[in-house]
Amino acid sequence: GNITRDQNKKDEPEFLTVCQGRASANGGKLKIVDISKKETEVEVKEMKTLSQVIEETKAKFPGLVHMRVPVCNSAAPLEADFDIICQTLIGTNINTPVIVNDQVGLS
């Protein structure tokens, strides 16, 4: 894919605005589709970007490192993506927990 983490971060506020607009136009509810393609409406109590959530989490867990690396769902990751992942892990303790989230949204 031709998407970068900087592009994702830059697009987050606009995406948040779109989602807030949809919720506002629908009485405070958003329509969602789950992994089984079941459509549901959920009440929106609070809405934040991923970056906002990560920053709040870092305040609670000093030393937490979050590295967002967007990877295309139909091709191998770019070499630069592997480099980012490896650079992030270099120097960490052997028993450092690492969470990898591979959620593309496809079924």
Side-chain angles (χ1 to χ4, degrees):
N2 196 16
I3 185 86
T4 67
R5 61 184 182 188
D6 292 335
Q7 288 171 317
N8 269 352
K9 192 165 185 172
K10 183 180 82 60
D11 289 343
E12 277 186 344
E14 181 180 347
F15 182 66
L16 178 65
T17 300
V18 169
C19 290
Q20 288 170 330
R22 288 183 183 184
S24 178
N26 194 33
K29 295 183 178 185
L30 271 179
K31 291 181 182 179
I32 61 169
V33 179
D34 69 16
I35 194 162
S36 300
K37 298 185 179 181
K38 179 184 170 198
E39 191 173 303
T40 311
E41 272 192 351
V42 295
E43 181 182 355
V44 177
K45 295 179 181 176
E46 183 179 25
M47 196 179 309
K48 300 177 184 182
T49 65
L50 176 62
S51 295
Q52 290 169 327
V53 172
I54 294 299
E55 289 308 312
E56 290 174 7
T57 304
K58 284 181 176 182
K60 294 178 187 174
F61 299 95
L64 175 69
V65 175
H66 175 258
M67 186 56 60
R68 187 176 195 175
V69 182
V71 178
C72 177
N73 67 329
S74 59
L78 300 175
E79 192 171 324
D81 296 330
F82 281 117
D83 290 345
I84 290 167
I85 294 166
C86 291
Q87 281 302 119
T88 303
L89 294 173
I90 288 176
T92 59
N93 194 325
I94 191 73
N95 62 357
T96 299
V98 175
I99 299 169
V100 177
N101 179 6
D102 180 23
Q103 201 286 321
V104 175
L106 302 175
S107 57

mmCIF file of all heavy atoms in Angstrom, residues 23-44:
data_model
loop_
_atom_site.group_PDB
_atom_site.id
_atom_site.type_symbol
_atom_site.label_atom_id
_atom_site.label_comp_id
_atom_site.label_asym_id
_atom_site.label_seq_id
_atom_site.Cartn_x
_atom_site.Cartn_y
_atom_site.Cartn_z
ATOM 1 N N ALA A 23 -22.959 10.594 13.696
ATOM 2 C CA ALA A 23 -23.642 10.321 14.961
ATOM 3 C C ALA A 23 -24.640 11.430 15.281
ATOM 4 O O ALA A 23 -25.771 11.163 15.692
ATOM 5 C CB ALA A 23 -22.626 10.164 16.093
ATOM 6 N N SER A 24 -24.223 12.657 15.073
ATOM 7 C CA SER A 24 -25.081 13.800 15.351
ATOM 8 C C SER A 24 -26.339 13.773 14.475
ATOM 9 O O SER A 24 -27.446 14.043 14.948
ATOM 10 C CB SER A 24 -24.309 15.096 15.118
ATOM 11 O OG SER A 24 -25.121 16.208 15.333
ATOM 12 N N ALA A 25 -26.168 13.418 13.216
ATOM 13 C CA ALA A 25 -27.296 13.369 12.286
ATOM 14 C C ALA A 25 -28.222 12.183 12.556
ATOM 15 O O ALA A 25 -29.341 12.145 12.046
ATOM 16 C CB ALA A 25 -26.777 13.303 10.851
ATOM 17 N N ASN A 26 -27.754 11.235 13.371
ATOM 18 C CA ASN A 26 -28.532 10.018 13.629
ATOM 19 C C ASN A 26 -28.919 9.905 15.108
ATOM 20 O O ASN A 26 -28.956 8.812 15.667
ATOM 21 C CB ASN A 26 -27.738 8.778 13.177
ATOM 22 C CG ASN A 26 -28.586 7.530 13.094
ATOM 23 O OD1 ASN A 26 -29.766 7.594 12.780
ATOM 24 N ND2 ASN A 26 -27.984 6.390 13.379
ATOM 25 N N GLY A 27 -29.151 11.037 15.753
ATOM 26 C CA GLY A 27 -29.607 11.020 17.140
ATOM 27 C C GLY A 27 -28.595 10.480 18.132
ATOM 28 O O GLY A 27 -28.966 9.853 19.119
ATOM 29 N N GLY A 28 -27.307 10.702 17.873
ATOM 30 C CA GLY A 28 -26.270 10.241 18.794
ATOM 31 C C GLY A 28 -25.912 8.778 18.637
ATOM 32 O O GLY A 28 -25.294 8.182 19.518
ATOM 33 N N LYS A 29 -26.267 8.188 17.506
ATOM 34 C CA LYS A 29 -25.967 6.773 17.259
ATOM 35 C C LYS A 29 -25.183 6.621 15.962
ATOM 36 O O LYS A 29 -25.338 7.400 15.030
ATOM 37 C CB LYS A 29 -27.250 5.953 17.179
ATOM 38 C CG LYS A 29 -28.007 5.916 18.487
ATOM 39 C CD LYS A 29 -29.217 5.034 18.389
ATOM 40 C CE LYS A 29 -29.922 4.981 19.747
ATOM 41 N NZ LYS A 29 -31.034 4.052 19.726
ATOM 42 N N LEU A 30 -24.339 5.594 15.946
ATOM 43 C CA LEU A 30 -23.583 5.247 14.743
ATOM 44 C C LEU A 30 -23.971 3.852 14.293
ATOM 45 O O LEU A 30 -24.181 2.959 15.122
ATOM 46 C CB LEU A 30 -22.075 5.248 15.017
ATOM 47 C CG LEU A 30 -21.313 6.539 14.844
ATOM 48 C CD1 LEU A 30 -19.843 6.329 15.176
ATOM 49 C CD2 LEU A 30 -21.471 7.120 13.462
ATOM 50 N N LYS A 31 -24.047 3.671 13.005
ATOM 51 C CA LYS A 31 -24.263 2.338 12.451
ATOM 52 C C LYS A 31 -22.895 1.687 12.284
ATOM 53 O O LYS A 31 -21.967 2.292 11.744
ATOM 54 C CB LYS A 31 -24.967 2.424 11.107
ATOM 55 C CG LYS A 31 -26.392 2.897 11.215
ATOM 56 C CD LYS A 31 -27.072 2.947 9.871
ATOM 57 C CE LYS A 31 -28.488 3.478 10.035
ATOM 58 N NZ LYS A 31 -29.192 3.573 8.765
ATOM 59 N N ILE A 32 -22.791 0.461 12.770
ATOM 60 C CA ILE A 32 -21.536 -0.279 12.635
ATOM 61 C C ILE A 32 -21.826 -1.629 11.994
ATOM 62 O O ILE A 32 -22.959 -2.113 12.029
ATOM 63 C CB ILE A 32 -20.827 -0.479 13.996
ATOM 64 C CG1 ILE A 32 -21.703 -1.274 14.952
ATOM 65 C CG2 ILE A 32 -20.439 0.861 14.603
ATOM 66 C CD1 ILE A 32 -20.986 -1.728 16.208
ATOM 67 N N VAL A 33 -20.799 -2.225 11.403
ATOM 68 C CA VAL A 33 -20.902 -3.554 10.823
ATOM 69 C C VAL A 33 -19.813 -4.396 11.463
ATOM 70 O O VAL A 33 -18.636 -4.035 11.416
ATOM 71 C CB VAL A 33 -20.725 -3.514 9.282
ATOM 72 C CG1 VAL A 33 -20.810 -4.911 8.698
ATOM 73 C CG2 VAL A 33 -21.755 -2.595 8.650
ATOM 74 N N ASP A 34 -20.206 -5.520 12.074
ATOM 75 C CA ASP A 34 -19.218 -6.356 12.744
ATOM 76 C C ASP A 34 -18.563 -7.324 11.757
ATOM 77 O O ASP A 34 -18.881 -7.318 10.561
ATOM 78 C CB ASP A 34 -19.815 -7.079 13.956
ATOM 79 C CG ASP A 34 -20.836 -8.157 13.595
ATOM 80 O OD1 ASP A 34 -20.891 -8.592 12.428
ATOM 81 O OD2 ASP A 34 -21.583 -8.571 14.490
ATOM 82 N N ILE A 35 -17.679 -8.144 12.269
ATOM 83 C CA ILE A 35 -16.898 -9.042 11.408
ATOM 84 C C ILE A 35 -17.784 -10.054 10.687
ATOM 85 O O ILE A 35 -17.425 -10.567 9.635
ATOM 86 C CB ILE A 35 -15.776 -9.736 12.215
ATOM 87 C CG1 ILE A 35 -14.783 -10.388 11.283
ATOM 88 C CG2 ILE A 35 -16.355 -10.725 13.208
ATOM 89 C CD1 ILE A 35 -13.472 -10.708 11.894
ATOM 90 N N SER A 36 -18.968 -10.324 11.243
ATOM 91 C CA SER A 36 -19.911 -11.247 10.604
ATOM 92 C C SER A 36 -20.850 -10.517 9.647
ATOM 93 O O SER A 36 -21.844 -11.083 9.202
ATOM 94 C CB SER A 36 -20.731 -11.977 11.673
ATOM 95 O OG SER A 36 -19.887 -12.702 12.524
ATOM 96 N N LYS A 37 -20.545 -9.254 9.391
ATOM 97 C CA LYS A 37 -21.320 -8.395 8.497
ATOM 98 C C LYS A 37 -22.719 -8.095 9.030
ATOM 99 O O LYS A 37 -23.622 -7.782 8.276
ATOM 100 C CB LYS A 37 -21.371 -8.974 7.087
ATOM 101 C CG LYS A 37 -20.009 -9.099 6.448
ATOM 102 C CD LYS A 37 -20.073 -9.543 5.025
ATOM 103 C CE LYS A 37 -18.654 -9.626 4.470
ATOM 104 N NZ LYS A 37 -18.643 -10.021 3.081
ATOM 105 N N LYS A 38 -22.872 -8.172 10.369
ATOM 106 C CA LYS A 38 -24.138 -7.820 11.006
ATOM 107 C C LYS A 38 -24.127 -6.329 11.296
ATOM 108 O O LYS A 38 -23.227 -5.817 11.950
ATOM 109 C CB LYS A 38 -24.298 -8.603 12.306
ATOM 110 C CG LYS A 38 -25.581 -8.280 13.037
ATOM 111 C CD LYS A 38 -25.658 -9.014 14.366
ATOM 112 C CE LYS A 38 -26.822 -8.487 15.176
ATOM 113 N NZ LYS A 38 -26.695 -8.840 16.584
ATOM 114 N N GLU A 39 -25.133 -5.626 10.795
ATOM 115 C CA GLU A 39 -25.237 -4.177 11.004
ATOM 116 C C GLU A 39 -25.996 -3.899 12.298
ATOM 117 O O GLU A 39 -27.011 -4.516 12.589
ATOM 118 C CB GLU A 39 -25.954 -3.535 9.822
ATOM 119 C CG GLU A 39 -25.874 -2.028 9.833
ATOM 120 C CD GLU A 39 -26.433 -1.390 8.577
ATOM 121 O OE1 GLU A 39 -25.949 -1.726 7.483
ATOM 122 O OE2 GLU A 39 -27.350 -0.566 8.708
ATOM 123 N N THR A 40 -25.448 -2.972 13.084
ATOM 124 C CA THR A 40 -26.033 -2.597 14.362
ATOM 125 C C THR A 40 -25.898 -1.092 14.542
ATOM 126 O O THR A 40 -25.012 -0.475 13.964
ATOM 127 C CB THR A 40 -25.270 -3.288 15.527
ATOM 128 O OG1 THR A 40 -25.132 -4.670 15.243
ATOM 129 C CG2 THR A 40 -25.985 -3.127 16.840
ATOM 130 N N GLU A 41 -26.762 -0.526 15.370
ATOM 131 C CA GLU A 41 -26.630 0.876 15.770
ATOM 132 C C GLU A 41 -26.169 0.909 17.218
ATOM 133 O O GLU A 41 -26.697 0.175 18.053
ATOM 134 C CB GLU A 41 -27.962 1.617 15.643
ATOM 135 C CG GLU A 41 -28.198 2.193 14.293
ATOM 136 C CD GLU A 41 -29.379 3.166 14.277
ATOM 137 O OE1 GLU A 41 -30.119 3.280 15.268
ATOM 138 O OE2 GLU A 41 -29.542 3.794 13.233
ATOM 139 N N VAL A 42 -25.178 1.743 17.505
ATOM 140 C CA VAL A 42 -24.686 1.879 18.877
ATOM 141 C C VAL A 42 -24.760 3.340 19.288
ATOM 142 O O VAL A 42 -24.585 4.243 18.472
ATOM 143 C CB VAL A 42 -23.229 1.369 19.033
ATOM 144 C CG1 VAL A 42 -23.151 -0.128 18.788
ATOM 145 C CG2 VAL A 42 -22.280 2.099 18.111
ATOM 146 N N GLU A 43 -25.032 3.548 20.580
ATOM 147 C CA GLU A 43 -25.061 4.903 21.118
ATOM 148 C C GLU A 43 -23.622 5.382 21.310
ATOM 149 O O GLU A 43 -22.776 4.660 21.821
ATOM 150 C CB GLU A 43 -25.781 4.917 22.468
ATOM 151 C CG GLU A 43 -25.874 6.296 23.075
ATOM 152 C CD GLU A 43 -26.554 6.283 24.436
ATOM 153 O OE1 GLU A 43 -27.037 5.223 24.862
ATOM 154 O OE2 GLU A 43 -26.586 7.351 25.062
ATOM 155 N N VAL A 44 -23.369 6.611 20.894
ATOM 156 C CA VAL A 44 -22.031 7.190 21.038
ATOM 157 C C VAL A 44 -22.000 8.010 22.326
ATOM 158 O O VAL A 44 -22.710 9.003 22.455
ATOM 159 C CB VAL A 44 -21.671 8.084 19.831
ATOM 160 C CG1 VAL A 44 -20.320 8.737 20.043
ATOM 161 C CG2 VAL A 44 -21.699 7.286 18.547
#
